[in-house]
Amino acid sequence: MSRTRFDGLPPRKVASHLGVMLIVAAVLGVVVSGLAIPFAGVLGFSARNVSESVDDLPQELETEQLPQRTEVKDAEGKTIATLYDQNRVNVPLRQISRTMVEAMVAIEDYRFYQHGALDLKGTMRALFTNQAAGGVTQGGSSITQQLVKLTLITQAKGDKEAIQAAKEDSYGRKLRELRYAIALEKRHSKDWILERYLNTAYFGDGAYGVQAAAQHFFSVDAKDLNLRQSALLAGLVQSPEAYNPTKNKAQATVRRNIVLDRMAQLNVVPKADADKAKDRKLGLRLQEQPNGCVNSEAQFFCDYVVRWLMTDPALGANPEERRQLIFNGGLTIKTTVDLRYQKAANDSVSSQVYKDDLAVGGLALIEPGTGNVKGLAQSRPMGKKKGETFLNYTVPTQYGDAAGFQPGSTFKAFVLAAAINQDIPLTQRFPAPNPGRFPLNEFETCDGPYQSSEVWEPKNSTSSSSSPDLYEGTQKSVNTFFVNLEKATGLCEPWKLAREMGITELTEANMIPSFTLGVADVSPLEMAEAYATFAGEGLHCDARPVTEIADSQGNVLKKYEKNCTQVLASPVANAVNDVLRGVVSSGGFAAAQYPGQPAAGKTGTTNGNNSVWFVGYTPNLAGAAMVAGVNGQGHPESLDGKSVGGRTLYASSGSTTAGPIWGDAFKAIAPLLEDLDFTRPSTTDIRGLLVTVPAVSGKSYDDAKSMLEGLGFTVANGGTVDSAVGQGLVAWSAPGTGARLAAGDTVTLFISDGTPKVKKGKKNKGRGNNGNGNGQG
């Protein structure tokens, strides 16, 4: 081929001419095996080189599931938050109004159903127009080609280079689009392609897909779009921001009218109808679709849900896969929150601790017997402004990034429960000197005497008789009484019990004499979960914020069943409840917080008043309230002298500072709760009421079940676990051999899969500090 036709042209013009020849040749030379170029030798290019480069392109375009918004719902099915990277809701073609479909086809590709992957007529027109203008001024892409471009952009998932490659104004990109478009047309029907296009396209203002656009701009579903609305939306796709009707009303109107004229020109609608629609206003009825937990009325519960699901390996092999599913999977996440309880919690916390205070208040609510988290509230709302935070102080560190706060004397309940479980009568008395003097090596850990030669001298912050019984010692929260009680029980059982009841982050470093005074940093949710075990008559249930998740078609992907284990015999729990009722009854520290239903609880105050607590419960709801002093950097410090809730705290306590948060919330919630009462212990000494759990490992499930039911226990199947015990036989029970329960209590059996679990190396045991602290009531 002669090169004289390019003589005298600048390089850019030469490249442009060459591009036209290439694309025209490609258009005219499409064959089943690829794209043939019917000329060679132009400025160093050869047919072979171009053909090979085109043949190197993939034959198929992967069409992954489109990103869709996820909806988080409360226990009653009301949406409390939407999560998305792209605000999109997929709908089938049959659920898109016919007028909308016709408007889109008319303005973007009116011969869509007549041509193949390429509209030759439109492409040739655009090519020669662009050539005459010396650049790309007119598009000629078919809807299928546009879908290819949109798909590549969507699947780039933020990769800037990939997005740029999908958008670049080059004939190379056109060739790639065409190759993929041919593959799509071979693989899918025209209706499938059009449906996918309508669901993929960006309509501006954050709306992806026709359903989200219809809801956003007109507050209707895609199936209900009329002529005027359809024409506006169809016109937006060409340039969503330039024609954005919320910002550029005049341009949007002009573009809408162009679509209406085109529809009339093609006889899609009568000209009179088009003219009538042109005379009307845009008719916007904007509906915002807030994104993320920050817009929820249950902000920190929503955040907890997301963080909790992010730990589930069933939702993805790694955190990024799980995040993609949660934010782009079009899921419906059904949660346990009750917005009535949530409102009561929000109102109570915000009225007692203001968002700008140098203190943070929090309240967690959980349902005994299920573990359902019913509400989470904190004084600092979610956000970046002054008085706002993204730290979730109400949940364990792994779900909220906050370190927690020391719980003070609320830990005394674990020692109380261990004492009752060890047959120490409720009427037994222990000395309560002030101060006390306790050699630390007199305390027993799980591994023997506590290794320290020091002497601990804790003081009492409350007054009592010189030797209270378990009722008086608990109701008046007498420190040295509980230290003596802890000496009697040993440190091991209260420590283990606290872990079994939900304080799972306790380490051996926390197994120290001052354990009973609250030595570990915990969150309100952990404390609420633990005390819900008492309310549940010894049945501990893991905190559960989600009951199930479903995909965009409504198919249930996973159910989250409650996970409960009997960790205390019911008579022991009932005895604890009877003792803790005194704290909320007449004469108790928290009598003012009585909610109008049977209630029990425990106060907690730490050294220096850094944090104060009240953890309380009715038979069907447990709640933990906390107020903690924090400085400008979020580090703990004393509440003394701080302005909290509009009042200066010269002295603070669990009953007077944290108690009202719990009390106000429970007083509002109480009318919503079923009227129940605690089961009274039949005697102040529970000896003789408990039955020992026998060894059942190695037995068949049926034999073990029969043995346990013969002793009066209820039996549950805990599923299959790794174990060296023979496959199909009982590996172990929970509670285990030797545990003592009452008739009717639940023993869970775990079945061996015959495969032993690989043991990891044992870590060195930490001993921690010597516990020289003074807890308060």
Side-chain angles (χ1 to χ4, degrees), residues 249-270:
K249 189 171 293 185
Q251 293 93 320
T253 303
V254 169
R255 179 63 179 166
R256 180 201 66 179
N257 292 347
I258 289 173
V259 176
L260 289 168
D261 285 340
R262 184 61 171 162
M263 293 176 75
Q265 181 186 9
L266 295 172
N267 294 316
V268 175
V269 297

Side-chain angles (χ1 to χ4, degrees), residues 69 87-89 206-217 220 222 287:
R69 72 177 184 237
N87 177 24
R88 176 186 285 109
V89 180
Y208 290 83
V210 66
Q211 173 71 356
Q215 291 174 337
H216 172 64
F217 289 111
V220 300
Q287 176 179 298

Side-chain angles (χ1 to χ4, degrees), residues 615-626:
V615 188
Y617 54 96
T618 68
N620 40 24
L621 186 66
M626 173 274 299

Side-chain angles (χ1 to χ4, degrees), residues 279-292:
D279 288 337
R280 301 187 64 188
K281 294 181 179 180
L282 295 179
L284 299 179
R285 290 184 59 197
L286 294 176
Q287 176 179 298
E288 297 299 331
Q289 190 61 61
N291 185 17

